[in-house]
PDB file of all heavy atoms in Angstrom:
ATOM      1  N   VAL C 331     -41.843  12.593 -28.241  1.00 87.00           N
ATOM      2  CA  VAL C 331     -41.821  13.505 -27.085  1.00 87.00           C
ATOM      3  C   VAL C 331     -40.390  13.807 -26.665  1.00 87.00           C
ATOM      4  O   VAL C 331     -39.994  14.981 -26.516  1.00 87.00           O
ATOM      5  CB  VAL C 331     -42.613  12.896 -25.905  1.00 87.00           C
ATOM      6  CG1 VAL C 331     -42.486  13.794 -24.675  1.00 87.00           C
ATOM      7  CG2 VAL C 331     -44.079  12.713 -26.272  1.00 87.00           C
ATOM      8  N   PRO C 360     -38.944   2.340 -41.082  1.00 88.00           N
ATOM      9  CA  PRO C 360     -38.078   2.376 -39.892  1.00 88.00           C
ATOM     10  C   PRO C 360     -37.358   3.728 -39.764  1.00 88.00           C
ATOM     11  O   PRO C 360     -36.726   4.193 -40.708  1.00 88.00           O
ATOM     12  CB  PRO C 360     -37.068   1.249 -40.147  1.00 88.00           C
ATOM     13  CG  PRO C 360     -37.687   0.397 -41.209  1.00 88.00           C
ATOM     14  CD  PRO C 360     -38.512   1.321 -42.050  1.00 88.00           C
ATOM     15  N   LYS C 546     -19.513  33.520  -2.519  1.00 87.00           N
ATOM     16  CA  LYS C 546     -20.967  33.488  -2.641  1.00 87.00           C
ATOM     17  C   LYS C 546     -21.456  32.063  -2.908  1.00 87.00           C
ATOM     18  O   LYS C 546     -22.478  31.614  -2.350  1.00 87.00           O
ATOM     19  CB  LYS C 546     -21.389  34.414  -3.787  1.00 87.00           C
ATOM     20  CG  LYS C 546     -22.896  34.573  -3.928  1.00 87.00           C
ATOM     21  CD  LYS C 546     -23.233  35.556  -5.044  1.00 87.00           C
ATOM     22  CE  LYS C 546     -24.749  35.705  -5.185  1.00 87.00           C
ATOM     23  NZ  LYS C 546     -25.094  36.656  -6.275  1.00 87.00           N
ATOM     24  N   VAL C 566     -16.198  24.796   7.707  1.00 90.00           N
ATOM     25  CA  VAL C 566     -15.725  23.425   7.470  1.00 90.00           C
ATOM     26  C   VAL C 566     -15.517  23.177   5.969  1.00 90.00           C
ATOM     27  O   VAL C 566     -14.565  22.497   5.565  1.00 90.00           O
ATOM     28  CB  VAL C 566     -16.721  22.399   8.060  1.00 90.00           C
ATOM     29  CG1 VAL C 566     -16.289  20.968   7.714  1.00 90.00           C
ATOM     30  CG2 VAL C 566     -16.830  22.563   9.561  1.00 90.00           C
ATOM     31  N   THR C 587     -30.359  13.542   7.597  1.00 89.00           N
ATOM     32  CA  THR C 587     -29.607  13.396   8.843  1.00 89.00           C
ATOM     33  C   THR C 587     -28.734  14.638   9.055  1.00 89.00           C
ATOM     34  O   THR C 587     -28.413  15.350   8.100  1.00 89.00           O
ATOM     35  CB  THR C 587     -28.704  12.156   8.786  1.00 89.00           C
ATOM     36  OG1 THR C 587     -27.780  12.305   7.689  1.00 89.00           O
ATOM     37  CG2 THR C 587     -29.523  10.892   8.582  1.00 89.00           C
ATOM     38  N   LYS C 641     -39.304   6.070 -58.219  1.00 77.00           N
ATOM     39  CA  LYS C 641     -40.357   5.410 -59.003  1.00 77.00           C
ATOM     40  C   LYS C 641     -41.391   6.423 -59.478  1.00 77.00           C
ATOM     41  O   LYS C 641     -41.861   6.361 -60.608  1.00 77.00           O
ATOM     42  CB  LYS C 641     -41.032   4.333 -58.153  1.00 77.00           C
ATOM     43  CG  LYS C 641     -40.203   3.075 -57.981  1.00 77.00           C
ATOM     44  CD  LYS C 641     -40.954   2.024 -57.179  1.00 77.00           C
ATOM     45  CE  LYS C 641     -40.117   0.745 -57.036  1.00 77.00           C
ATOM     46  NZ  LYS C 641     -40.804  -0.271 -56.209  1.00 77.00           N
ATOM     47  N   THR C 679     -58.830  23.189-111.111  1.00 52.00           N
ATOM     48  CA  THR C 679     -57.499  23.611-111.574  1.00 52.00           C
ATOM     49  C   THR C 679     -56.905  22.664-112.607  1.00 52.00           C
ATOM     50  O   THR C 679     -55.778  22.857-113.030  1.00 52.00           O
ATOM     51  CB  THR C 679     -56.537  23.724-110.378  1.00 52.00           C
ATOM     52  OG1 THR C 679     -56.490  22.475-109.703  1.00 52.00           O
ATOM     53  CG2 THR C 679     -56.990  24.803-109.408  1.00 52.00           C
TER      54      THR C 679
END
Side-chain angles (χ1 to χ4, degrees):
V331 175
K546 186 177 180 180
V566 175
T587 60
K641 285 182 179 178
T679 57

